[in-house]
Structure formats: structure tokens, C-alpha cells
Amino acid sequence: MFFKVKTTEEVLEILQQFPPVGEEKVSLPESFGRVLSSDIVSGEDLPGFLRSSMDGYAIRARDSFGATESLPALFEVIGEVKMGEVPGFRVGQSQAVKIPTGAMLPDGADSVVMVEYCHVLDERTLEISRAVFPQENVIQPQDDYRKGQRVLPKGQRLRPQDLGVLASLGILEISAFKKPRVAIISTGDEVITVDKKPQPGQVRDINTYTLSAFCRQLWAEPVVLGLCGDRFEQVRRLLERGLSLADTVWISGGSSVGTRDLTLKVFESIQELEVLVHGISISPGKPTIIARKGSCAVIGLPGHAASAMVVAEVFLRPFMQRLSGELHTAPGAGGEVEARLSRNVESASGRDDFIRVRLEKKDGDWIAVPIFGKSGLISTLVDSDGLIRIDRNSEGLYEGDTVRVFLFGPMKGV
């Protein structure tokens, strides 16, 4: 029996109650993909000076007013600004200074004329055929960030451009949440290592590899504890080891009919371990168990590969984002898209059905093609691009209905 069956929303709420893991200092070169544990605040104006955004000539804008191709304005060239140097002169009336992109504007100048509108008559004389307005082609101090401004928020997972702004501000070290450590245990008398030839009734271990890769996709560190049979002491020993090594423990197998009671008995034998969920009203994945010891979540996943991965995508993805301290959680690795359903899909009321689908493009629209198959078949995952959800209060969806597809990752062939 299932004693603490929960809805999808209830389980998601329970998993969001677990706190993020601890914090650590991370150097700038190693900070890509890490999640900030505190705001990044600019300690200076960026940039700190007026700089040119174009190759051209720095002038006073008012001296160019009225300049046209037929009636150009004449300027005296008094010098050239070098990159990385502070100009040692001042621009006066009808004077111009040659300047490259990114260089500092000299005193007196307030704009830059693009080189395309400039014609050099001789070493000292410049002809300008287009008027510019003040601050044209000029980057102002504080155009990027002002001193004291929040640049990146706590909970931001750092992207390449985020490392760029850290570098521009001279920040060499950040405070980041630690990467969650996930202890992975695969159980079952029938499960063997992948280097062995299965005998009748045996299957190779799939879940260790799918769940480990799933963790890495979420920037977490899998701690593979190996296989064990359906033996109370073996499962208990590995669970205790996982609790001592990791922030969360995932046990696949042992939550299905026949061995579910064993997993539950192991959970109940661990001091101060509380069972929070004993079954979820979803398909596939109903025999999922969730428990807690302190701040560590213990997840009993179905042994079938497809069921385990559906549970991982729906529940463990936002859970891991929570442990990572990430502020913005996504429903899938590739986000979501809207699509039209290719056929009718029936559903039993009282549970949420998560249907694997393949996406196809037709007349500019995405078409979601259901992939049906038993939960033990890995091919149903390989052939799918994502999941659609049929609400427990619905008896199904109709061909042509608009559905949201939660993507596993980039779509094949796109």
C-alpha cells in the first residue's frame, strides 16, 4: 500500500523546503556555472571615463552643426589619442583629434565623428561632411554600471558574459553555493554491471549512468556508491554511507511492487529519518518515496529507467536547482515550447500523466507526437524530446490541442 500519496504540487512544495547547500569561495577562472551566494555590487563606475565607441575624430559637437556633404565643416587636427593613454591636450573650437574605438576622449571634446564622414585634406586639416550631436558615438561613465549598483543577484548561475563583467570590475573571487553532492545507489538482484553479459532474468545497470549524467547536467557532483542486491543490510549500509557523504541520496529500485517494503523498512530503521512521501499520484513514477534526515533528502526512485527519469525531470530538477541555490528554476533542460498534439491521448483521472513526446515541425508549427511504451524501455526516452502533462482532473487530450512540452534538452536536428 501507499500510505502518504501526494500530488505533484504537494511533492514540489515539500522538496522546496530543503535548504541550499553551504557556501565557498571560488576563483574567477573557476566560477563559470557556479551559483552566487551573495549579490555582486559594483565598487566603481564602469567605464570610469568618457571613451569612443567608434574609430574617428573627437570634436566639440557644436562646431559641426550645419555640416553637409555639399558644405563640409573644416577642423584643425591637433593630435591623436593612443589606446590606454590619457590625452595630454585639450580640444578647442574647430579642433579635432584622431581617436580609435575604446580610447579616452580628450578634455573639451564631447562627441566623435565616424571616420566614414571625415576627409583628410592634409596633415593639419580635416573636412567633416556630417553634423554630430553631443555624446554621439561616446560611452559615458556609468553607461554599464554605476558604483554601488547591483550587477548580479544572489542565485544567479554564472554565464560567460557574467564572468566578463566580474573581470571588468576586477573581482577575482566570488562567494558561491557549493555543488550539491548526490549519492547514487542502484538496487536489485537482477541488475548487473554493464561489462557483464546478462543471463536470462538479468539486466544491465542503466540508472547509475542516467542519474549521474542528469546530476552533471545540473552542475551537481554524483557520488556513485554502486550496485547492491535486494538485501536489507546491503541497502542499509549503502544508505548510511550516502548520508555521510552527500547532500542527497537517490536509491533506484526497491520502490516498486515486491521490494518497496524493503526500502521502506530500511528507511524506518535509520534513526531520525522521516518518510515524507510514500507514493505520488503520477504515471509513470507512482512508487516514489521521499524521506528526510536533517537537511538531507533521501529519494527512493522506481527501478525502471523511464519511470526514474520522468521523476527526475519533474521533481528532482527543481529540487536540485533549489539545493544549488539557483534563483530561477526551469521545467526542463531546454525550457519549454508550445506544440499541437498529433493524436488523442487518454488518461485516467486522479493522477497526473506525464507523456513522452517527439517534436516534429509541420507548416511552421511544432507537433507533439506521443511516444508510448512500457516504463522499462529506455528507447522511449531516447526517441523523445520532452514531456507533456495531462492533469489528474482530465480524462485526456484531443488531437490538435495546444500543449506545453517540457524539453529534456536541445531538440534533435534543430
Side-chain angles (χ1 to χ4, degrees):
M1 290 181 62
F2 296 100
F3 299 105
K4 294 186 178 181
V5 176
K6 303 290 185 181
T7 65
T8 298
E9 291 76 16
E10 287 173 331
V11 173
L12 289 171
E13 184 176 346
I14 288 171
L15 290 173
Q16 288 300 304
Q17 294 172 6
F18 286 85
V21 294
E23 303 176 35
E24 62 184 351
K25 295 293 184 181
V26 180
S27 68
L28 176 61
E30 300 298 321
S31 62
F32 173 67
R34 302 302 298 269
V35 178
L36 292 171
S37 61
S38 60
D39 291 344
I40 297 295
V41 177
S42 178
E44 59 192 63
D45 292 334
L46 189 68
F49 56 89
L50 286 169
R51 59 191 302 189
S52 174
S53 64
M54 295 287 179
D55 290 341
Y57 287 84
I59 65 170
R60 301 191 316 176
R62 60 181 178 272
D63 295 332
S64 71
F65 293 166
T68 63
E69 289 187 7
S70 59
L71 190 61
L74 296 179
F75 288 78
E76 176 190 5
V77 180
I78 61 171
E80 180 177 355
V81 179
K82 303 293 185 181
M83 289 296 295
E85 294 183 358
V86 177
F89 36 73
R90 180 180 180 84
V91 174
Q93 183 177 357
S94 296
Q95 291 181 332
V97 172
K98 190 175 183 181
I99 189 169
T101 302
M104 183 177 182
L105 255 68
D107 289 343
D110 61 5
S111 59
V112 173
V113 184
M114 293 172 58
V115 70
E116 291 86 343
Y117 302 110
C118 299
H119 180 221
V120 178
L121 299 180
D122 56 47
E123 290 185 357
R124 301 282 295 177
T125 309
L126 177 72
E127 191 176 74
I128 292 177
S129 60
R130 179 185 178 277
V132 291
F133 53 83
Q135 312 308 327
E136 185 170 350
N137 301 321
V138 172
I139 298 175
Q140 298 282 327
Q142 304 181 3
D143 269 0
D144 260 340
Y145 297 100
R146 68 181 182 278
K147 184 176 180 179
Q149 180 180 351
R150 187 177 73 169
V151 177
L152 297 170
K154 174 182 177 180
Q156 170 83 33
R157 190 176 293 280
L158 295 180
R159 307 163 295 171
Q161 57 266 45
D162 299 328
L163 268 65
V165 73
L166 292 173
S168 71
L169 292 170
I171 297 174
L172 298 175
E173 187 178 70
I174 62 164
S175 294
F177 289 105
K178 294 179 179 178
K179 292 183 179 181
R181 290 170 58 84
V182 182
I184 297 174
I185 304 168
S186 189
T187 71
D189 290 335
E190 78 284 6
V191 182
I192 61 173
T193 56
V194 298
D195 59 330
K196 295 179 180 178
K197 177 72 174 177
Q199 299 300 312
Q202 294 182 328
V203 294
R204 291 189 178 98
D205 177 23
I206 292 175
N207 289 338
T208 292
Y209 297 91
T210 54
L211 294 174
S212 294
F214 179 80
C215 290
R216 293 190 184 97
Q217 186 184 59
L218 294 173
W219 304 88
E221 295 182 358
V223 180
V224 176
L225 299 185
L227 302 178
C228 73
D230 294 320
R231 305 289 185 274
F232 180 91
E233 288 302 328
Q234 289 182 359
V235 177
R236 191 178 194 279
R237 184 170 62 251
L238 285 182
L239 174 54
E240 288 181 325
R241 187 176 175 213
L243 288 168
S244 69
L245 293 175
D247 301 296
T248 178
V249 183
W250 300 353
I251 305 177
S252 67
S255 58
S256 59
V257 174
T259 55
R260 180 173 60 244
D261 290 343
L262 171 64
T263 302
L264 193 60
K265 287 178 181 178
V266 171
F267 283 12
E268 291 173 345
S269 73
I270 303 293
Q271 189 174 4
E272 297 180 353
L273 189 146
E274 176 190 6
V275 175
L276 305 174
V277 176
H278 186 201
I280 308 176
S281 55
I282 63 169
S283 177
K286 180 180 180 180
T288 299
I289 304 174
I290 300 174
R292 175 209 297 270
K293 182 176 182 183
S295 62
C296 183
V298 183
I299 315 293
L301 292 166
H304 290 313
S307 294
M309 285 307 296
V310 168
V311 172
E313 286 290 343
V314 175
F315 300 105
L316 299 187
R317 179 176 296 280
F319 169 61
M320 292 305 296
Q321 291 170 323
R322 167 68 176 170
L323 286 193
S324 300
E326 194 168 359
L327 186 62
H328 304 291
T329 59
E336 59 182 90
V337 298
E338 282 194 351
R340 289 188 292 109
L341 199 58
S342 69
R343 52 161 291 176
N344 296 344
V345 180
E346 295 182 356
S347 176
S349 61
R351 72 184 187 194
D352 292 330
D353 275 345
F354 288 91
I355 309 297
R356 286 142 275 175
V357 297
R358 180 180 70 250
L359 285 167
E360 298 177 354
K361 201 79 169 182
K362 183 177 181 182
D363 299 328
D365 295 325
W366 287 114
I367 305 298
V369 181
I371 304 293
F372 296 108
K374 296 188 180 298
S375 57
L377 302 179
I378 190 65
S379 60
T380 62
L381 290 174
V382 175
D383 294 339
S384 301
D385 292 305
L387 300 170
I388 62 172
R389 175 182 175 179
I390 303 179
D391 189 85
R392 57 187 172 275
N393 297 315
S394 170
E395 295 183 353
L397 298 172
Y398 293 98
E399 178 182 350
D401 280 353
T402 299
V403 293
R404 288 194 303 166
V405 180
F406 302 110
L407 301 175
F408 294 142
M411 289 173 282
K412 297 184 289 293
V414 178

